[in-house]
């Protein structure tokens, strides 16, 4: 319950904000929102095993309570249950979209763990990790909330990638701050395990990382401007859900 019900639910909220503005069928919104948040929860179960995290959302992590074997199996179960939800959706494209985006999450996690670990990396490598590790599920959420217009889907997918990238870079900053009361999770593990993050990638890094994050968010907004309903919903979502969280992260 703690794992699935006490998070920020930023991905499923993005589905709702955009989908309601675009008149998407209610069942599609429910299934897509549930699926993306369950996939995210599964990734956290596995991440905590890899990182040795002891706290998640203010409570003991799943592996710490139930063991490594239980956490791996439960994470796998969550992933397949999430995909099964989309077999019932009227939007037949969303199942393929979620499979592809989940694959990108796994690929970037593998790259960070197996190839780049122990290397501070350069800024571009850091941004690419953030784009696919976190941006992929935001990209799915944005597509799920679209009107179905092909050009709008392309724009929203890229906007979602940019949004998730900005969010992950801000989270990297929070991890280095050590403010576990704010985050609700074990921090400092990135540095301890030699991960390539926004805090280690000094080569070619921007002079002002916060300005870089804001520029990413502006570029994302610019992409969706041609569609008034989508644009307005996007602005409302960013203002109400994303901006307050990122401000807390970077001020920590």
């Amino acid at each position: 319950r703690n794992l699935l019900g006490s998070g920020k639910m930023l991905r499923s909220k993005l589905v709702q904000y955009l989908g309601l503005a675009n008149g998407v069928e209610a069942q599609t919104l429910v299934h897509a929102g549930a699926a993306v948040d369950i996939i995210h929860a599964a990734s956290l179960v596995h991440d905590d095993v890899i990182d040795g995290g002891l706290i998640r959302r203010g409570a003991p992590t799943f592996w710490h309570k139930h063991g490594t074997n239980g956490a791996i199996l439960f994470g796998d179960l969550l992933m397949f249950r999430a995909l099964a939800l989309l077999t019932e959706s009227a939007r037949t494209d969303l199942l393929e979209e979620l499979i592809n985006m989940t694959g990108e999450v796994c690929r970037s996690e593998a790259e960070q763990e197996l190839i780049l670990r122990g290397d501070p990396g350069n800024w571009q490598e850091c941004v690419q990790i953030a784009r696919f590790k976190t941006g992929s599920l935001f990209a799915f959420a944005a597509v799920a909330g679209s009107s179905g217009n092909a050009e709008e889907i392309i724009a929203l997918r890229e906007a979602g990638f940019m949004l998730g990238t900005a969010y992950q870079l801000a989270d990297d900053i929070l991890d280095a701050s050590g403010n576990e009361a704010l985050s609700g999770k074990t921090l400092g593990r990135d540095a301890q395990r030699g991960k390539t993050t926004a805090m280690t990638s000094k080569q070619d890094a921007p002079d002002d990382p916060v300005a870089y994050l804001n520029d990413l968010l502006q570029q994302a907004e610019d992409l969706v401007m041609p569609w008034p309903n989508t644009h307005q919903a996007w602005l409302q979502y960013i203002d109400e859900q994303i901006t307050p969280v990122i401000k807390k992260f970077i001020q920590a």
Side-chain angles (χ1 to χ4, degrees):
R1 180 171 174 233
N2 178 69
L3 181 67
L4 296 174
S6 62
K8 292 181 283 294
M9 301 177 68
L10 294 176
R11 296 151 189 81
S12 59
K13 285 179 180 178
L14 180 57
V15 176
Q16 294 292 324
Y17 272 76
L18 294 174
L20 291 173
N22 285 315
V24 178
E25 182 186 55
Q27 186 184 54
T28 297
L29 295 182
V30 171
H31 286 175
V36 73
D37 266 354
I38 292 172
I39 288 285
H40 176 56
S43 74
L44 298 183
V45 172
H46 287 166
D47 280 354
D48 287 335
V49 172
I50 294 169
D51 293 339
L54 302 179
I55 301 170
R56 173 69 66 178
R57 296 176 178 172
T61 53
F62 194 93
W63 80 267
H64 192 50
K65 288 182 67 176
H66 303 288
T68 300
N69 292 352
I72 292 172
L73 293 169
F74 183 58
D76 291 347
L77 175 62
L78 286 176
M79 285 193 179
F80 285 100
R81 285 294 178 89
L83 295 175
L85 282 173
L86 293 183
T87 63
E88 305 171 28
S89 173
R91 282 278 301 277
T92 56
D93 62 304
L94 292 182
L95 178 57
E96 181 180 1
E97 188 82 23
L98 187 57
I99 290 171
N100 289 339
M101 291 304 174
T102 303
E104 292 293 356
V105 174
C106 295
R107 181 187 62 78
S108 63
E109 291 269 20
E111 180 180 0
Q112 189 178 35
E113 178 67 21
L114 301 175
I115 299 174
L116 294 175
R117 190 157 69 89
D119 182 348
N122 59 51
W123 184 255
Q124 188 55 40
E125 288 172 332
C126 166
V127 170
Q128 285 297 102
I129 289 170
R131 174 180 173 86
F132 293 107
K133 174 181 176 179
T134 301
S136 295
L137 294 187
F138 278 98
F140 168 81
V143 168
S146 73
S147 66
N149 175 277
E151 291 184 0
E152 182 190 28
I153 284 175
I154 292 171
L156 276 170
R157 183 184 292 114
E158 182 59 26
F161 271 122
M162 290 181 173
L163 167 59
T165 302
Y167 181 82
Q168 181 59 53
L169 295 176
D171 190 66
D172 287 351
I173 295 171
L174 175 64
D175 186 83
S177 78
N179 191 335
E180 292 187 354
L182 172 63
S183 71
K185 63 181 180 180
T186 302
L187 296 181
R189 299 297 294 166
D190 289 349
Q192 292 171 24
R193 300 194 66 253
K195 283 190 173 183
T196 300
T197 73
M199 300 306 289
T200 68
S201 305
K202 306 299 183 183
Q203 183 182 341
D204 302 324
D207 294 332
D208 187 346
V210 176
Y212 185 93
L213 301 187
N214 290 332
D215 185 56
L216 276 176
L217 293 176
Q218 184 59 58
Q219 290 179 54
E221 180 193 338
D222 291 345
L223 284 172
V224 302
M225 285 185 70
W227 298 275
N229 289 345
T230 295
H231 182 225
Q232 186 57 43
W234 183 272
L235 286 177
Q236 185 178 359
Y237 171 78
I238 295 296
D239 182 59
E240 295 177 358
Q241 303 297 330
I242 295 297
T243 300
V245 174
I246 288 183
K247 281 183 177 180
K248 287 181 181 178
F249 283 7
I250 62 180
Q251 288 172 358

